[in-house]
Amino acid sequence: MDTTEDSLRKALAEKQSAVEGQGNAVRALKAAKVAKAEIDAAIGTLNALKLEKSAIEQQLQAAVSGNGPDSSVNREAFRQAVVNTLERRLFYIPSFKIYRGVAGLYDYGPPGCAVKSNVLAFWRQHFVLEESMLEVDCPCVTPEVVLKASGHVDKFTDLMVKDEKTGTCYRADHLLKDFCNEKLQKDLSITAEKAAELKHVLAVLDDLPTEELGAKIKEYGIVAPDTKNPLSDPYPFNLMFQTSIGPSGLLPGYMRPETAQGIFVNFKDLYYYNGNKLPFAAAQIGQAFTNEISPRQGLLRVREFTLAEIEHFVDPEDKSHPKYPEVADLEFLMFPRDKQMSGQSAKRIRLGEAVSKGIVNNETLGYFIGRVYLFLTCLGIDKERLRFRQHLANEMAHYAADCWDAEIECSYGWIECVGIADRSAYDLRAHSEKSGVPLVAHEKFSEPIEMEKLVIAPVKRELGLAFKGNQKMVVEALEAMNEKEAMEMKASLETKGEVEFYVCTLEKNVCIKKNMVTISKEKKKEYQRVFTPSVIEPSFGIGRIIYCLFEHSFYMRPSKAGDEQLNVFRFPPVVAPIKCTVFPLVQNQQYEEALQLANDMQGQMNWVPFAITVDSTSSVTIRERDSKDQIRVNVEEAASVVKSVTDGQRTWDDVWSKFPHHSSGSTED
């Protein structure tokens, strides 16, 4: 806990005790009917103690909620100003608004569509085109068997509680989080020890087991927010939208929760298309769906959203990257797990140092972290409010080698917007095992190499007698064992005669006996190496990035008359919904052509980077939105100048230094 808050809570508790003690003393004096002067003196002491207590309460309230620009009140006011402007200008609005809307669903309006389109176009340019990735477009409806293999059917869940009388559902962790924050921010009477406990609960909230989460809800007396009715025990709720494929209803399916599985199941064909060469990357932009229990936070937590995902397939024995030196000298805020565990803050680290020290697992992962940093900052995300946070050990999947989140700070706090993970070979192995199709790569040797090769030979007759209809799945699971698993099984069979073996397709352990499988190592000449590639996966939540961009671009400035505040979005040209407006200085027939070019965007200039004013038949002025500086350019050059800046080929400083400057009384208009 913050030391200031801790000491203030302790001081408040001591002062409260002193007030209660002095109050008892006053009552005792009155009961004893002592002299009025003595009672008045005691009351004076009591009042002084109450004033001191009130002063400490004010200090504590300021420490808890803040009274500066980052206070919760000011964050809420800022957010409301941003959201009101976005909805009024039709960047986005709640879906089905005339029917009172549906939580977690939003429509993008014309300028919002333009911003989103520009972000995706830049993403495609920055990653797909510049990295020569293979782009695919796969269906949103996915057969159950695919998502069973990936683990989503069993594990894509959140814990939910129900109002025991109305049946209304809530996310259990949200209720506990809200309770803790409410107590910490508004209940000044809690002790320093209790405050520390609540902060610890918030810190470990994502990792609380079901039983412990339920126990905390009961311990704190948390009830349904709307009705104050008691809540059920937490239970898992699968977040995928379920459907059936075809009229019979016999083929179950789901709306995809991510786009990645479409790439994994197409690996074999993509590998062939790439000339059977590694490394290579495949990318996909598309819609994904999560049936959120109680969505909130606007565009940050929705039920339908756009993902842009990359699966970079690489040899697990060589995770170097030829273009890594291009990003190695980048320096930005990084938050390794050791700093998180010790209660420190994120600090600026050079990417090359993080990779060389093993903080980041490998060069390819580091390369994509660097490329994500460049992508986000070029979009307009503030470098000082962007950090890369490493997953803690208990956050990572068992198969992941390393994982980092690009987190952007906004009025809601630090928000995960991009995940960059080394997922090892898990996904391809899972689909290989489930489908029976080997999703592997090959490395041909220039000369044959004598190698010791693992040979797993299931005895199908014995397995058939033991497992009958499940024989095929047990055989496939045995054959899919890696060397470490196989040799451990061999040792156990030789010493004990049998061993417990987990078959993931059966979702249970089975008993394998010595007569059911032969495991050995044989020396053979190999002409190629066959292996399952590892996957480096950057996954982008486009809606979250766009919302954070809205906040990072928003500011207010006074109007020319100074009688109102203008809301401005400082969009970089690459994402601005309208790049430039053109209008005549005066209504003059000789500027008729300019009148045709002009559009009706004059009232929406507060997000347009450039404005061209036609005040001559031979030249125009170009004004830059944020600096309000103007240059004079020949009519023939105007379009190319604006295009070069909006495309990122030149900066405003470049053109400012080249062209004559223009000033007029209308600069502030």
Side-chain angles (χ1 to χ4, degrees):
M1 190 194 303
D2 178 77
T3 53
T4 303
E5 182 187 336
D6 191 6
S7 59
L8 285 171
R9 287 193 186 278
K10 288 177 179 176
L12 182 60
E14 291 170 2
K15 197 62 66 177
Q16 177 64 35
S17 179
V19 168
E20 290 172 358
Q22 187 63 20
N24 291 334
V26 170
R27 285 188 287 273
L29 290 172
K30 287 180 177 180
K33 297 182 179 180
V34 300
K36 183 176 183 299
E38 190 175 350
I39 293 175
D40 288 344
I43 291 174
T45 302
L46 176 61
N47 289 336
L49 287 170
K50 286 181 177 179
L51 285 173
E52 291 171 7
K53 174 175 171 282
S54 178
I56 296 172
E57 284 176 338
Q58 290 176 12
Q59 293 178 58
L60 179 56
Q61 187 65 65
V64 170
S65 60
N67 52 14
D70 293 329
S71 72
S72 58
V73 173
N74 287 328
R75 284 198 304 269
E76 177 64 33
F78 172 78
R79 182 192 309 142
Q80 205 56 54
V82 175
V83 171
N84 287 345
T85 306
L86 290 169
E87 292 194 8
R88 188 173 68 252
R89 292 297 192 181
L90 214 62
F91 277 80
Y92 73 90
I93 55 173
S95 300
F96 319 112
K97 192 175 178 181
I98 65 171
Y99 292 99
R100 299 186 178 181
V102 176
L105 297 175
Y106 291 90
D107 297 338
Y108 284 88
C113 284
V115 170
K116 182 178 178 182
S117 177
N118 291 339
V119 168
L120 291 176
F122 181 58
W123 187 89
R124 188 173 270 116
Q125 173 64 42
H126 187 79
F127 290 106
V128 179
L129 299 180
E130 292 183 20
E131 304 291 343
S132 301
M133 294 179 178
L134 310 180
E135 187 171 3
V136 299
D137 188 355
C138 306
C140 292
V141 178
T142 306
E144 183 183 53
V145 65
V146 175
L147 295 168
K148 187 78 172 173
S150 68
H152 285 87
V153 171
D154 299 319
K155 298 175 182 175
F156 194 64
T157 59
D158 274 338
L159 292 173
M160 182 168 76
V161 290
K162 276 186 179 179
D163 182 316
E164 291 190 339
K165 294 184 179 178
T166 67
T168 304
C169 300
Y170 304 93
R171 261 187 66 166
D173 59 336
H174 283 179
L175 293 182
L176 183 54
K177 180 180 181 180
D178 290 346
F179 173 85
C180 293
N181 282 327
E182 182 88 1
K183 275 283 186 186
L184 287 166
Q185 292 172 16
K186 296 184 179 179
D187 188 352
L188 303 183
S189 66
I190 61 174
T191 64
E193 291 73 17
K194 189 65 175 179
E197 176 195 322
L198 295 173
K199 289 194 173 186
H200 175 71
V201 170
L202 288 172
V204 301
L205 188 59
D206 291 340
D207 300 312
L208 285 180
T210 306
E211 297 76 15
E212 196 171 335
L213 184 60
K216 284 293 178 189
I217 288 174
K218 281 188 169 57
E219 178 187 342
Y220 295 150
I222 298 173
V223 294
D226 302 319
T227 64
K228 309 306 178 190
N229 292 331
L231 296 166
S232 69
D233 291 331
Y235 61 95
F237 171 74
N238 193 291
L239 299 172
M240 290 191 294
F241 286 97
Q242 190 166 16
T243 185
S244 57
I245 302 171
S248 68
L250 299 178
L251 181 57
Y254 296 90
M255 304 300 290
R256 64 184 179 189
E258 62 179 28
T259 65
Q261 301 309 317
I263 297 175
F264 293 136
V265 298
N266 282 312
F267 170 79
K268 186 176 181 180
D269 292 321
L270 291 169
Y271 180 58
Y272 175 77
Y273 181 86
N274 199 53
N276 295 329
K277 295 177 184 175
L278 280 184
F280 76 89
Q284 182 169 193
I285 297 170
Q287 297 303 99
F289 306 83
T290 299
N291 194 12
E292 290 283 350
I293 296 167
S294 49
R296 53 188 185 174
Q297 298 184 333
L299 291 181
L300 299 181
R301 191 170 289 280
V302 292
R303 289 183 164 123
E304 179 179 352
F305 47 93
T306 302
L307 288 179
E309 295 190 297
I310 297 165
E311 308 302 331
H312 181 92
F313 299 100
V314 63
D315 187 335
E317 296 183 6
D318 180 11
K319 293 181 181 178
S320 61
H321 197 289
K323 294 169 70 177
Y324 166 70
E326 295 178 12
V327 300
D329 287 331
L330 291 174
E331 187 175 287
F332 43 80
L333 286 173
M334 300 189 78
F335 203 9
R337 62 172 64 99
D338 64 329
K339 295 202 173 298
Q340 298 173 57
M341 297 297 289
S342 60
Q344 299 179 58
S345 302
K347 73 168 189 174
R348 300 184 71 83
I349 301 176
R350 193 176 70 86
L351 182 58
E353 178 187 345
V355 173
S356 64
K357 290 183 175 180
I359 299 170
V360 173
N361 185 266
N362 58 75
E363 277 191 10
T364 297
L365 185 63
Y367 177 72
F368 278 107
I369 289 174
R371 290 291 287 170
V372 169
Y373 170 80
L374 293 173
F375 169 73
L376 293 174
T377 53
C378 287
L379 281 184
I381 296 301
D382 183 354
K383 296 177 182 180
E384 300 306 316
R385 289 188 283 167
L386 169 64
R387 72 183 185 190
F388 288 81
R389 186 186 71 83
Q390 188 176 31
H391 279 205
L392 299 175
N394 57 7
E395 286 182 89
M396 290 206 307
H398 67 279
Y399 51 80
D402 197 5
C403 186
W404 293 75
D405 288 340
E407 296 184 332
I408 303 173
E409 188 181 29
C410 69
S411 63
Y412 290 104
W414 287 98
I415 303 299
E416 173 202 343
C417 293
V418 187
I420 311 122
D422 182 339
R423 295 175 60 88
S424 190
Y426 171 80
D427 301 281
L428 294 181
R429 281 181 177 153
H431 287 298
S432 292
E433 185 176 328
K434 189 71 173 176
S435 67
V437 177
L439 302 177
V440 295
H442 306 265
E443 178 194 5
K444 292 192 186 318
F445 301 141
S446 55
E447 294 182 2
I449 298 175
E450 188 170 82
M451 299 178 66
E452 198 172 50
K453 188 175 181 181
L454 176 69
V455 178
I456 300 173
V459 181
K460 294 183 179 179
R461 180 177 177 280
E462 298 296 335
L463 291 168
L465 291 171
F467 302 110
K468 299 182 171 57
N470 293 328
Q471 178 212 41
K472 183 174 182 291
M473 287 180 276
V474 177
V475 169
E476 289 173 349
L478 288 168
E479 291 176 337
M481 285 190 295
N482 60 38
E483 183 171 328
K484 182 174 180 292
E485 293 171 323
M487 297 315 292
E488 287 176 354
M489 176 179 281
K490 176 179 171 67
S492 295
L493 290 175
E494 288 175 352
T495 56
K496 301 176 184 176
E498 62 182 39
V499 66
E500 288 288 304
F501 177 60
Y502 182 74
V503 180
C504 65
T505 48
L506 294 177
E507 298 181 341
K508 66 177 182 180
N509 285 321
V510 299
C511 180
I512 300 296
K513 297 186 176 178
K514 191 173 183 178
N515 63 340
M516 295 179 180
V517 63
T518 301
I519 300 171
S520 62
K521 282 189 173 182
E522 297 178 2
K523 287 189 175 180
K524 290 187 176 181
K525 281 192 175 182
E526 295 290 339
Y527 295 85
Q528 66 176 356
R529 169 175 159 249
V530 180
F531 61 93
T532 304
S534 284
V535 176
I536 311 294
E537 179 192 71
S539 177
F540 299 73
I542 298 300
R544 290 186 169 196
I545 293 171
I546 288 173
Y547 179 77
C548 291
L549 176 61
F550 287 152
E551 282 205 9
H552 285 209
S553 301
F554 183 81
Y555 73 103
M556 296 179 180
R557 68 185 182 201
S559 63
K560 180 185 177 184
D563 57 350
E564 63 175 328
Q565 289 288 321
L566 301 178
N567 295 338
V568 183
F569 286 107
R570 192 190 286 112
F571 293 127
V574 70
V575 296
I578 299 165
K579 309 297 185 187
C580 183
T581 60
V582 183
F583 49 88
L585 185 64
V586 295
Q587 298 298 320
N588 190 309
Q589 188 61 36
Q590 65 178 319
Y591 303 145
E592 185 64 33
E593 185 176 344
L595 288 172
Q596 297 302 316
L597 290 172
N599 53 41
D600 60 354
M601 295 303 296
Q602 291 166 347
Q604 302 181 28
M605 280 292 293
N606 289 340
W607 67 66
V608 182
F610 305 103
I612 295 177
T613 301
V614 182
D615 57 0
S616 161
T617 56
S618 60
S619 65
V620 298
T621 64
I622 302 176
R623 188 191 71 152
E624 198 269 337
R625 176 197 57 219
D626 299 320
S627 65
K628 305 179 193 174
D629 291 334
Q630 297 185 86
I631 58 173
R632 183 160 288 283
V633 179
N634 291 335
V635 170
E636 295 80 9
E637 292 183 89
S640 62
V641 168
V642 171
K643 186 174 188 304
S644 68
V645 180
T646 57
D647 287 351
Q649 298 167 355
R650 302 161 83 176
T651 66
W652 177 253
D653 288 341
D654 294 337
V655 297
W656 177 253
S657 64
K658 179 177 179 182
F659 291 94
H661 301 172
H662 176 83
S663 62
S664 72
S666 62
T667 300
E668 294 292 332
D669 291 347

